[in-house]
Amino acid sequence: MKITQTLPWALLLSTTAAVAAEPAFLATEQHKLKIETVAEGLSHPWGMAFLPDGRILVTERDGKLRIVSEGKLGEPVTGLPALAVGGQGGLLDVMLDKNFASNQTLYLSFSEPGKDDTNSTAVLSAKLVGNSLTNSKVLFSQQPKFNSKYHFGGRLVQDSSGALFITLGDRGSRREDVQPLSTHIGKVVRVMPDGSAAPGNPFLADKNAKAEVWSNGHRNIQGATLDNQGRLWTHEHGPQGGDEINITQAAKNYGWPLITYGEEYGGGVIGKTKADGLEQPLHYWVPSIAPSGMTFYHQPMFSKWQQNLLVGSLKFGQLVRLEVKNDKVVHEERIRIGSRVRDVEVAPDGSVYLLTDEDNGAILRLTPQP
């Protein structure tokens, strides 16, 4: 696939000014935006989901799950599992089951503590009853566990069959565990809501592979979404540069740490940029934008953003809008928010919601203005 590089560094200096007033009005290429603060006072929020009644579930990395209603933060939801909070670890993503209206089931990704200060990414299923979680079950736990506070991955996506895609990082170093299919390290896995390997997974018959594995060779995926064909798209953090977007297909190897467009921190080559049998990214960024959160836009509210891919940027405090045609990024716009954007979601009414990852994190709502 053809690679489309980022905008030149000089253009970053001329991106739209950061949000300052409340509400803020921001001119962009296709729409003038109104940006409002829905709620604030969150401690490093990581993921959010919209309840059927309009309230918002939001996770805080330090181990709190809250329900936000009319701009007010509810008391922490009770019934969460033990967490390994520290570094990049803690409570991560939240996703409602596709049948939440009837089964009240949700899923949470988190860093699960193990023996001797080890931990790994895990996923909990539970029912939300009032302000409590019940019928809780850890349906997946990444193996092996490591003594590390980095690169948990943790994004959750549910496909039309009900299977869950879970993104899993390399745990912070170029371990020998990333490439082999016998571990969950640096993988995307696909499991059913009961935790069993999903039918159709590519390595079910391979005795040397984990049955849950969907794809491998990933560094740290913090953005995942489905397109209108039901295909999984992900983005992942490169080292120093080399953040990339992929259409993440069954049995494909996306190369880390054998190939990358990034380099060692402080300079220095890591592997190659291309190699036979390893997938090239659909799009990559040099320098790194530190992407987190991603969704396709399909609602009518933003009429000029149809089928665009929206990506949060932690490093530059931006919402990155990508126009995609025939599986290629043909245009990129940087919209300067001014705060670290951890998650990007589209509300039922078509407005775009952002989470800002800060000590005093906020939920922002974007709507178009005439």
Side-chain angles (χ1 to χ4, degrees):
M1 289 181 286
K2 181 181 178 181
I3 299 168
T4 308
Q5 287 185 275
T6 186
L7 296 176
W9 175 261
L11 292 185
L12 296 178
L13 303 179
S14 61
T15 50
T16 311
V19 175
E22 176 60 37
F25 294 90
L26 199 60
T28 71
E29 291 178 357
Q30 300 293 352
H31 289 284
K32 182 179 181 181
L33 304 182
K34 180 180 180 181
I35 306 180
E36 303 169 277
T37 300
V38 173
E40 54 189 350
L42 294 158
S43 177
H44 296 285
W46 211 95
M48 60 180 159
F50 297 92
L51 292 166
D53 61 8
R55 295 179 299 162
I56 304 171
L57 274 170
V58 61
T59 61
E60 294 174 279
R61 197 178 63 212
D62 66 2
K64 297 182 182 67
L65 174 67
R66 297 183 189 271
I67 299 175
V68 178
S69 179
E70 298 180 346
K72 296 181 180 179
L73 304 183
E75 289 298 312
V77 172
T78 60
L80 266 66
L83 305 173
V85 176
Q88 297 171 359
L91 188 58
L92 304 173
D93 209 5
V94 57
M95 181 182 71
L96 304 185
D97 185 82
K98 58 187 296 187
N99 297 315
F100 179 87
S102 59
N103 64 21
Q104 289 78 54
T105 297
L106 57 78
Y107 306 98
L108 293 165
S109 61
F110 65 101
S111 50
E112 177 186 55
K115 296 180 180 178
D116 301 322
D117 294 324
T118 62
N119 53 65
S120 67
T121 305
V123 176
L124 181 86
S125 68
K127 291 185 181 294
L128 180 65
V129 179
N131 207 52
S132 299
L133 299 180
T134 64
N135 298 81
S136 297
K137 173 189 175 182
V138 175
L139 64 93
F140 175 81
S141 181
Q142 181 187 34
Q143 299 298 324
K145 284 178 159 56
F146 289 117
N147 187 338
S148 169
K149 297 181 180 180
Y150 303 102
H151 296 190
F152 291 91
R155 285 295 173 196
L156 303 173
V157 174
Q158 189 172 35
D159 68 18
S160 60
S161 74
L164 310 178
F165 287 108
I166 306 166
T167 73
L168 302 169
D170 71 352
R171 304 311 323 281
S173 68
R174 270 156 265 152
R175 301 179 185 274
E176 60 185 11
D177 313 87
V178 174
Q179 282 290 319
L181 300 173
S182 57
T183 79
H184 294 134
I185 307 304
K187 310 297 192 296
V188 172
V189 299
R190 182 171 172 263
V191 300
M192 298 307 293
D194 64 1
S196 61
N201 278 6
F203 303 110
L204 293 176
D206 187 341
K207 295 181 180 179
N208 297 315
K210 294 285 190 185
E212 301 86 4
V213 171
W214 177 260
S215 61
N216 71 312
H218 301 289
R219 185 171 182 267
N220 190 23
I221 297 175
Q222 292 190 1
T225 190
L226 299 178
D227 65 14
N228 56 12
Q229 300 177 48
R231 299 177 302 173
L232 179 68
W233 291 54
T234 64
H235 67 56
E236 60 188 270
H237 289 248
Q240 185 166 277
D243 302 338
E244 58 187 56
I245 293 177
N246 294 292
I247 301 175
T248 309
Q249 298 174 300
K252 295 293 181 67
N253 186 337
Y254 292 86
W256 178 255
L258 304 176
I259 61 171
T260 178
Y261 284 87
E263 62 180 13
E264 297 281 9
Y265 293 101
V269 174
I270 302 174
K272 304 177 180 179
T273 56
K274 298 180 182 180
D276 292 343
L278 304 178
E279 300 300 306
Q280 283 291 297
L282 181 135
H283 184 74
Y284 69 89
W285 287 280
V286 176
S288 171
I289 68 166
S292 188
M294 177 170 67
T295 189
F296 277 99
Y297 191 86
H298 304 296
Q299 301 276 29
M301 181 179 285
F302 284 88
S303 60
K304 297 179 181 179
W305 284 6
Q306 296 303 300
Q307 315 305 320
N308 287 185
L309 194 58
L310 305 179
V311 177
S313 165
L314 294 164
K315 183 175 181 180
F316 292 121
Q318 297 167 335
L319 175 64
V320 180
R321 183 181 66 86
L322 301 174
E323 296 176 13
V324 180
K325 293 183 180 179
N326 300 320
D327 294 343
K328 297 177 182 177
V329 173
V330 297
H331 181 70
E332 175 175 340
E333 180 187 12
R334 306 288 188 89
I335 300 171
R336 183 79 181 276
I337 302 301
S339 296
R340 290 165 51 86
V341 178
R342 173 63 71 181
D343 196 16
V344 184
E345 300 289 345
V346 178
D349 68 357
S351 55
V352 174
Y353 277 64
L354 309 178
L355 279 183
T356 66
D357 180 5
E358 297 166 331
D359 289 335
N360 181 29
I363 303 174
L364 305 180
R365 180 175 185 255
L366 279 60
T367 53
Q369 298 300 297

